């Protein structure tokens, strides 16, 4: 039993160690700064610049968060503070259901609806002259924006379910105190509850962010996979997970190729572990507060 | 701003957000059903791909359905073998230092966030090192790794809820730690295990990124653990990637099959969780 627990507890370290050992060959031959900041990805010529992929990952995640964070938090506040028990009990399982849908299905859905939608709006929005939303190239719809929208929907359940729990964990006295001073319900949420719930909301957002950062298949299917530094949300992109998924397994003939891809995996993992760790520590604090207070 | 106006404004904003969130669930299900249902023929579910299937000729995705079921069942079983003892040993009875249990829990929670593509890359690396080819076994092992944190933490949460008095009563009757754990505690934990199993099953049957390199893909039904195995998510992915509309139609149909499996499992986990709880003392 203890062996099983020890194995499970050290799994994270095993994975990190293995990835590190395998990405060491490329770290030994090239400075990390070159790998991270160079934007030419020509494995056959020994050039492994991950910059466009890192940027693509950040962009697509940022778009997803811009859509998901306000929608999820507003929904969560409604569910936690406004909705009747019966509505809450009906909607929360639906949110869980959303979390259970496989990424590939989201990908199919994205290809069927979001991609044509983006292709349709790209010329219209592109002509408005909004920065970072120009349509310089012809957009097929397979783009950062499509990836961002699909990701946003995948992130909803993560942020909503945690935020609802965080709000429910705020002691009832806080609400009573605020309401008895004549505050409206929204004022109570904004001034009293938010103050208590903010770290928890931050944790929810961080967990959603990490989920989005590592999501592979759904994004891969709608984001276009062109290795460029995207300049508009209508441009295709090539995030790190997609890069690994598309190229790993067939890179054995080119020296250092697998090492470069595993370095990409390691970077991804370390970033996500850092964020998740921070979020978890916040949530553990909140849990303690609830059990103690 | 007038505070009552603000109240109303935000209420409208919140309601419309919630509508959009719930609406997106229905949109996903509706689009997949509407596009998948017309292409879903009996032969798709009962045949393996024949020659030229990916060009639009005869055949079905039975290889992927069976492959996915093998992968999911195999990995759930293996994960259970590790997770049940691991979760039970997180009790105070076994790990005396709360700090140790705390750090194991924390590391599992953090591991939960690891993207499946990283597991896939890790698994493939290890398999290369061991000289294994992409196979059913490889896929099962990687999916097991993916499930361990989910399962242990889900079971652990219910183990934590077992009343200390119950265990003390059992100890007072002269039972050993082992007997108490596997005869008393485990019954209290059954619903937790059932939920964990279904949660992990749903996650593993839908995951593609982790088995992309480790399970391989084949048009045949795997005959042994060392054969490569097809899977539904990858079948969807590959069929969608072909330039032929007929084959893409089949991708939609396959997505519908996968969606139905996942939704059934998800609903079942809820129902089962309530059913098993009749033996629980609270």
């Amino acid at each position: 039993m203890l062996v099983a627990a020890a194995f499970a507890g050290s799994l994270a370290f095993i994975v990190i160690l293995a990835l590190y050992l395998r990405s060491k060959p490329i770290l030994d031959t090239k400075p990390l700064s070159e790998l991270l900041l160079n934007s030419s990805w020509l494995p056959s010529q020994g050039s492994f610049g991950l910059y466009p992929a890192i940027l693509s990952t950040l962009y697509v995640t940022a778009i997803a968060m811009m859509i998901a964070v306000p929608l999820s938090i507003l929904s969560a506040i409604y569910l936690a503070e406004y909705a009747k028990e019966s509505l809450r009990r009906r909607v929360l399982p639906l949110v869980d259901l959303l979390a259970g849908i496989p990424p590939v299905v989201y990908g199919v859905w994205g290809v069927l609806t979001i991609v044509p939608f983006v292709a349709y709006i790209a010329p219209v929005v592109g002509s408005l002259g909004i920065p970072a939303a120009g349509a310089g190239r012809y957009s097929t719809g397979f783009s950062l924006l499509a990836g961002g929208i699909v990701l946003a929907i995948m992130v909803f359940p993560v942020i909503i379910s945690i935020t609802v729990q965080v709000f429910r964990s705020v002691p009832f006295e806080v609400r009573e105190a605020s309401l008895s001073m004549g505050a409206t319900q929204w004022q109570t949420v904004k001034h009293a509850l938010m103050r208590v719930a903010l770290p928890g909301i931050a944790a929810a957002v961080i967990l959603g962010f990490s989920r989005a950062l590592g999501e592979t298949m759904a994004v891969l299917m709608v984001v276009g996979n062109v290795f460029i530094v995207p300049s508009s949300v209508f441009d295709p992109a090539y995030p790190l997970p997609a890069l690994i998924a598309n190229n790993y397994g067939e890179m054995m003939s080119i020296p250092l190729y697998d090492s470069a891809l595993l370095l990409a995996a390691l970077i991804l993992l370390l970033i996500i572990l850092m964020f998740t760790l921070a979020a978890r520590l916040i949530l553990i604090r909140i849990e303690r507060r609830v059990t103690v207070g | 701003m007038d505070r009552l106006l603000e109240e109303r404004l935000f209420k409208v904003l919140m309601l419309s957000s919630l509508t959009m969130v719930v609406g997106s669930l229905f949109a996903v299900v509706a689009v997949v059903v509407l596009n998948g249902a017309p292409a879903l023929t009996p032969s798709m579910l009962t045949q393996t791909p024949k020659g030229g299937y990916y060009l639009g000729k005869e055949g079905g995705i039975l290889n992927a359905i069976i492959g996915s079921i093998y992968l999911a069942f195999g990995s759930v079983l293996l994960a259970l073998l590790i997770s049940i003892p691991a979760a039970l040993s997180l009790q105070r009875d076994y790990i005396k230092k709360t700090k140790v249990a705390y750090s194991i829990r924390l590391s599992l929670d953090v591991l939960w966030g690891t993207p499946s593509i990283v597991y896939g890359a890790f698994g493939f690396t290890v398999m290369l090192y061991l000289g294994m080819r992409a196979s059913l076994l490889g896929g099962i092992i990687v999916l097991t790794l993916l499930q361990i944190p989910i399962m242990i933490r889900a079971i652990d949460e219910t183990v934590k809820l077992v009343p200390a008095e119950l265990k003390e009563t059992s100890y007072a009757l002269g039972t050993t730690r082992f007997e108490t754990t596997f005869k008393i505690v485990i019954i209290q934990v059954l619903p937790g295990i059932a939920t964990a199993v279904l949660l992990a099953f749903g996650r593993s049957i839908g995951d593609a990124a982790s088995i992309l390199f480790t399970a391989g893909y084949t048009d045949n039904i795997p005959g042994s653990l060392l054969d490569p195995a097809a899977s539904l998510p990858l079948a969807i992915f590959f069929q969608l990637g072909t330039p032929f509309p007929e084959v893409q139609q089949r991708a939609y149909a396959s997505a519908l099959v996968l969606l139905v499996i996942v939704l059934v499992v998800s609903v079942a986990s809820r129902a089962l969780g309530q059913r098993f709880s009749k033996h629980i003392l609270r």
Side-chain angles (χ1 to χ4, degrees), chain A residues 78 82, chain B residues 6-16:
Chain A
Y78 189 84
Y82 286 77
Chain B
E6 191 186 345
E7 171 84 29
R8 224 183 264 165
L9 174 71
F10 272 95
K11 215 164 169 180
V12 171
L13 276 178
M14 284 187 281
L15 266 175
S16 34

Side-chain angles (χ1 to χ4, degrees), chain B residues 219-234:
Chain B
D219 282 349
N220 306 314
I221 293 170
S224 89
L225 277 175
L226 297 175
D227 287 347
S231 53
L232 268 174
L234 290 180

Side-chain angles (χ1 to χ4, degrees), chain A residues 72 95-96 98-99 152-164 203-212 280:
Chain A
S72 314
V95 174
D96 285 346
L98 204 56
I153 291 173
M154 301 182 68
V155 167
F156 283 156
V158 180
I159 304 182
I160 292 178
S161 56
I162 299 172
T163 308
V164 168
V205 170
I206 296 172
L207 285 180
F209 180 82
S210 326
R211 170 84 200 266
R280 286 295 169 189

Side-chain angles (χ1 to χ4, degrees), chain A residues 109-124:
Chain A
W109 177 72
V111 170
L112 282 170
T113 56
I114 300 299
V115 168
F117 168 72
V118 172
Y120 177 74
I121 64 162
V124 184

Side-chain angles (χ1 to χ4, degrees), chain A:
Chain A
M1 284 169 85
L2 292 173
V3 176
F7 169 69
S10 55
L11 195 52
F13 300 101
I14 300 174
V15 176
I16 293 175
L17 188 68
L19 290 179
Y20 174 71
L21 287 178
R22 294 280 297 171
S23 52
K24 211 163 173 303
I26 196 159
L27 287 172
D28 285 346
T29 49
K30 298 206 156 102
L32 189 61
S33 59
E34 191 199 316
L35 294 166
L36 295 184
L37 298 175
N38 185 350
S39 51
S40 81
W41 177 262
L42 297 162
S44 53
Q45 291 164 33
S47 158
F48 300 98
L50 289 170
Y51 183 64
I54 293 172
L55 219 54
S56 297
T57 309
L58 292 180
Y59 283 162
V60 82
T61 310
I63 294 172
M65 297 313 280
M66 272 189 256
I67 302 170
V69 168
L71 287 178
S72 314
I73 291 180
L74 284 171
S75 307
I77 293 176
Y78 189 84
L79 284 174
E81 299 299 321
Y82 286 77
K84 286 189 190 123
E85 183 64 33
S86 59
L87 179 73
R88 185 162 46 232
R89 233 186 282 149
R90 243 172 265 162
V91 173
L92 280 180
L94 290 181
V95 174
D96 285 346
L97 226 49
L98 204 56
I101 296 179
V104 206
V105 175
Y106 280 110
V108 169
W109 177 72
V111 170
L112 282 170
T113 56
I114 300 299
V115 168
F117 168 72
V118 172
Y120 177 74
I121 64 162
V124 184
V125 179
S127 61
L128 297 178
I130 305 166
R137 299 182 193 84
Y138 165 73
S139 179
T140 54
F142 290 94
S143 57
L144 274 180
L145 183 60
I149 295 175
V150 171
L151 261 187
I153 291 173
M154 301 182 68
V155 167
F156 283 156
V158 180
I159 304 182
I160 292 178
S161 56
I162 299 172
T163 308
V164 168
Q165 278 171 30
V166 167
F167 268 96
R168 304 298 296 164
S169 80
V170 176
F172 212 75
E173 290 81 354
V174 177
R175 287 178 197 98
E176 282 169 346
S178 167
L179 290 173
S180 68
M181 299 303 285
T184 62
Q185 204 167 0
W186 176 253
Q187 282 176 319
T188 304
V189 168
K190 192 170 70 170
H191 297 297
L193 298 180
M194 268 301 190
R195 186 162 294 183
V196 192
L198 206 57
I201 297 178
V205 170
I206 296 172
L207 285 180
F209 180 82
S210 326
R211 170 84 200 266
L213 213 54
E215 181 44 52
T216 311
M217 293 314 267
V219 179
L220 168 76
M221 289 162 83
V222 298
V223 84
N225 303 326
V226 179
F227 210 89
I228 53 165
V229 176
S231 59
S232 149
V233 295
F234 298 117
D235 281 348
Y238 212 155
L240 282 174
L243 183 73
I244 305 168
N246 268 342
N247 297 295
Y248 203 63
E250 45 196 68
M251 68 304 129
M252 291 307 141
S253 51
I254 303 169
L256 292 181
Y257 199 166
D258 66 326
S259 199
L261 288 174
L262 288 175
L263 177 67
L266 182 65
I267 295 170
L268 198 62
L269 178 64
L270 288 179
I271 296 174
I272 289 174
L273 288 187
M274 242 161 46
F275 278 119
T276 331
L277 184 64
R280 286 295 169 189
L281 289 174
I282 297 174
L283 288 176
I284 287 171
R285 264 211 186 148
I286 293 175
E287 207 173 302
R288 287 219 177 119
R289 184 190 70 206
V290 174
T291 43
V292 173

Side-chain angles (χ1 to χ4, degrees), chain B residues 201-222:
Chain B
F201 186 89
R203 171 101 196 253
S204 65
I205 203 164
D207 199 80
S210 60
I211 51 174
L212 190 57
F213 328 116
T214 50
Y217 199 85
T218 168
D219 282 349
N220 306 314
I221 293 170

Side-chain angles (χ1 to χ4, degrees), chain B residues 170-185:
Chain B
S170 164
Y171 286 136
L173 291 170
T175 59
T176 63
R177 210 164 53 168
F178 187 82
E179 282 174 319
T180 302
T181 302
F182 283 95
K183 287 185 178 160
I184 308 294
V185 175

